[in-house]
Amino acid sequence: MPNDIQAPSIAYLTLLPMLIVFGGATVGVLVEAFVPARLRRTAQITVAVVSLLAALVDVIHLWNQHTSRLVVESALAIDMPALFLQGTLCVLGLLSILLLSENALDGSGGHVVSQAANLPGSREDLRLAESEHVQTEVYPLALFALGGMLLFTACNNLLLMFVALEVLSLPLYLMAGLARRRRLLSQEAALKYFLLGAFASAFFLYGVALLYGYAGSVDLGDILGATSVAGKSDALLYLGIAMLGVGLLFKVGAVPFQAWTPDVYQGSPTPVTALMAACTKVAAFGALLRVFYVAFGAAKWDWRPMMWAVAILTMVVGAILAVTQTDVKRMLAYSSVAHTGFLLVGVIAINKSGLSGTLFYLLTYGLTTVASFAIVSLVRDSAGEATHLAQWAGLGKRSPLVAATFAFLLLALAGIPLTSGFMAKFAVFKAAFEGGATALVVVGVIASAITAFFYARVIVLMFFQEPAADGPTVALPSVYTTVAITLSVAFTAILGVYPQLGLDLTRTASVFVR
């Protein structure tokens, strides 16, 4: 008789955060199909928030148990870095869901009531009839994307990582095209994101095939073992690293694969942009760190020169192009590119400090980014969101609180001392210096000075120029948006004044299981 086939051992309890989020997404699809329209929005928000809270609680439970093991036949690594990234994604996902809970995704939703109703140029008629349409399909799409991100950060198998990449990407392609008021711009953004993302996925898959030919396996640990064996054809290894790098560097928005970033950020609904800018970067860097630290750790002298060039180009190009932008969302998009370069400095360090610093940077950047795009969604005129920089002139006089909050977030992004951004940059630069990348740190400091210029330009525009008589107004945020902004700003301030709280967590999460 033939031998019985042994079923793989699956530790379901370690996979519970991902299963909860995917389960919530499935329930959201059923809600969309069967719940009456008048109850659908409340039901979808409840399902999404409860799912992410439950996933976060389970991540904390696994963290307290110091879980660190390979599961599902070594295809998934449930270790401290994965749990930290999954916890970060749950928090950022919750904040993004709160932003998505506005009445519409076209820039006209929310409680559009001017805070400056008695000032010249106030608009009391910003709420249009079309803003009453509620796009509840966004909630299950967001949960599917977040579930794919949770899986992406924990993959120890390149083929499974490709599946997770597609699971997180496809909902984002759809969500990018949901802005009805700016239909052409939004659909153009979705199409660009889809086409370029498909090319990047093809490169990733081709890299997986080449690495399988090199190592005879797609498990990261087996690839690491193969790089330590003499006599193998290094051509397959180098080509595989390059192809895999293209796919991962596209998702993080590194130069020369950043072309999609400004167009997609500008064209997508702003809450969706917040989700993409914060959560996708966390997930993509989580996968990139695992691949290059685990699978290619022994070959670091081969791929570090390539990564040096990418990091320098990303910092410089992102910083310089951000200076030339006249749209707030495009400026934040190129700012995101520059921050990708700073994060790559931590990756290049290839040591525990580099991993710890990069994780801390991802947490602080995600919180600041979600709050920044939330503020952008509040500044509106009769056509919807007012994103041209000239329209932000004098905002500090129209709405001092909103302008002051945005100024604080910009200072954090610039890395000014006593903000979380300063400690994040210090952490990755210190790790790179310890790893022998002193020249890269010098470039990073210069690029940081350039980024500080365009952040300061916006602050000067808001507080030191007179507002136009017919300028935009600041909408009263909904309860959801208020909670998202308040929590993000509070955590940003806490991690700036008391960074040790986050650094201790990331230091615990500085070792990958192999």
Side-chain angles (χ1 to χ4, degrees):
M1 293 181 63
N3 294 330
D4 292 335
I5 298 175
Q6 296 295 321
S9 175
I10 301 176
Y12 285 104
L13 291 179
T14 62
L15 308 181
L16 202 53
M18 291 174 276
L19 296 178
I20 290 173
V21 174
F22 280 126
T26 305
V27 172
V29 173
L30 297 177
V31 168
E32 194 68 21
F34 298 110
V35 173
R38 67 181 184 279
L39 303 175
R40 198 174 295 156
R41 178 169 176 263
T42 301
Q44 291 283 24
I45 294 172
T46 302
V47 169
V49 170
V50 169
S51 299
L52 289 171
L53 282 175
L56 179 60
V57 169
D58 197 63
V59 167
I60 294 172
H61 174 68
L62 293 171
W63 176 277
N64 290 333
Q65 291 183 332
H66 295 280
T67 303
S68 185
R69 57 187 295 198
L70 297 176
V71 297
V72 194
E73 299 297 310
S74 299
L76 287 174
I78 307 300
D79 53 13
M80 303 304 279
L83 292 174
F84 180 86
L85 291 165
Q86 288 180 344
T88 301
L89 285 168
C90 288
V91 171
L92 298 177
L94 274 168
L95 297 173
S96 301
I97 288 293
L98 293 176
L99 296 186
L100 289 167
S101 299
E102 292 288 351
N103 286 341
L105 292 176
D106 57 5
S108 63
H111 303 288
V112 188
V113 180
S114 172
Q115 290 185 356
N118 57 346
L119 293 177
S122 296
R123 309 284 182 109
E124 300 291 347
D125 58 344
L126 293 180
R127 184 192 296 274
L128 301 179
E130 66 176 313
S131 69
E132 298 301 325
H133 180 78
V134 181
Q135 295 167 261
T136 51
E137 67 271 20
V138 73
Y139 298 101
L141 288 173
L143 285 180
F144 275 120
L146 287 166
M149 294 174 193
L150 297 180
L151 179 62
F152 200 47
T153 60
C155 287
N156 191 56
N157 178 289
L158 292 178
L159 199 56
L160 183 60
M161 189 174 286
F162 173 75
V163 173
L165 176 63
E166 295 305 297
V167 171
L168 76 89
S169 297
L170 291 174
L172 292 177
Y173 301 152
L174 294 172
M175 293 166 67
L178 289 180
R180 284 187 167 87
R181 180 182 292 252
R182 296 173 291 110
R183 187 184 301 274
L184 291 179
L185 189 63
S186 183
Q187 291 180 352
E188 178 187 352
L191 185 62
K192 286 181 178 179
Y193 196 17
F194 169 69
L195 291 177
L196 294 175
F199 277 113
S201 296
F203 275 102
F204 186 96
L205 191 58
Y206 191 39
V208 173
L210 291 172
L211 289 169
Y212 179 78
Y214 171 78
S217 172
V218 290
D219 285 347
L220 301 187
D222 293 338
I223 295 172
L224 174 64
T227 59
S228 305
V229 176
K232 281 186 170 289
S233 172
D234 289 337
L236 287 177
L237 174 64
Y238 298 151
L239 286 173
I241 292 175
M243 296 294 179
L244 209 65
V246 169
L248 293 172
L249 292 171
F250 171 86
K251 295 308 293 185
V252 301
V255 176
F257 313 109
Q258 87 297 347
W260 63 274
T261 307
D263 294 333
V264 174
Y265 279 29
Q266 182 184 23
S268 301
T270 300
V272 174
T273 304
L275 176 68
M276 285 192 295
C279 298
T280 304
K281 197 172 292 291
V282 171
F285 264 103
L288 188 145
L289 284 165
R290 187 174 296 279
V291 167
F292 282 90
Y293 273 56
V294 176
F296 306 138
K300 62 182 180 181
W301 299 113
D302 298 314
W303 58 261
R304 280 186 84 190
M306 172 197 73
M307 202 65 78
W308 264 65
V310 171
I312 292 172
L313 283 173
T314 303
M315 289 187 288
V316 173
V317 171
I320 292 176
L321 291 182
V323 174
T324 67
Q325 301 307 308
T326 58
D327 184 275
V328 176
K329 290 176 74 173
R330 291 184 72 88
M331 183 202 73
L332 290 174
Y334 280 111
S335 164
S336 170
V337 173
H339 282 282
T340 295
F342 300 140
L343 284 159
L344 288 173
V345 172
V347 175
I348 291 170
I350 200 74
N351 52 33
K352 288 185 178 181
S353 297
L355 176 55
S356 172
T358 305
L359 294 178
F360 182 74
Y361 202 128
L362 289 170
L363 172 62
T364 59
Y365 173 78
L367 291 168
T368 309
T369 299
V370 169
S372 298
F373 281 107
I375 296 293
V376 171
S377 71
L378 298 179
V379 182
R380 303 181 185 139
D381 58 17
S382 59
E385 290 174 359
T387 59
H388 197 282
L389 275 176
Q391 296 175 293
W392 287 58
L395 188 67
K397 297 180 180 179
R398 286 188 178 275
S399 182
L401 180 59
V402 171
T405 303
F406 194 59
F408 171 72
L409 295 169
L410 292 177
L411 292 175
L413 289 171
I416 301 301
L418 294 181
T419 65
S420 60
F422 172 77
M423 288 308 305
K425 285 184 180 178
F426 179 80
V428 294
F429 288 167
K430 178 175 177 290
F433 180 78
E434 293 173 352
T438 306
L440 198 59
V441 174
V442 173
V443 175
V445 171
I446 295 172
S448 296
I450 298 174
T451 60
F453 168 77
F454 61 77
Y455 292 132
R457 182 183 63 172
V458 179
I459 296 173
V460 170
L461 190 69
M462 291 191 297
F463 288 98
F464 297 100
Q465 290 195 19
E466 292 296 323
D470 58 346
T473 58
V474 176
L476 287 174
S478 67
V479 174
Y480 301 114
T481 301
T482 301
V483 171
I485 295 174
T486 302
L487 290 177
S488 300
V489 171
F491 281 120
T492 299
I494 291 170
L495 292 174
V497 177
Y498 187 57
Q500 204 61 40
L501 181 66
L503 291 172
D504 287 342
L505 289 175
T506 57
R507 194 171 293 115
T508 305
S510 60
V511 178
F512 286 114
V513 67
R514 300 174 186 269

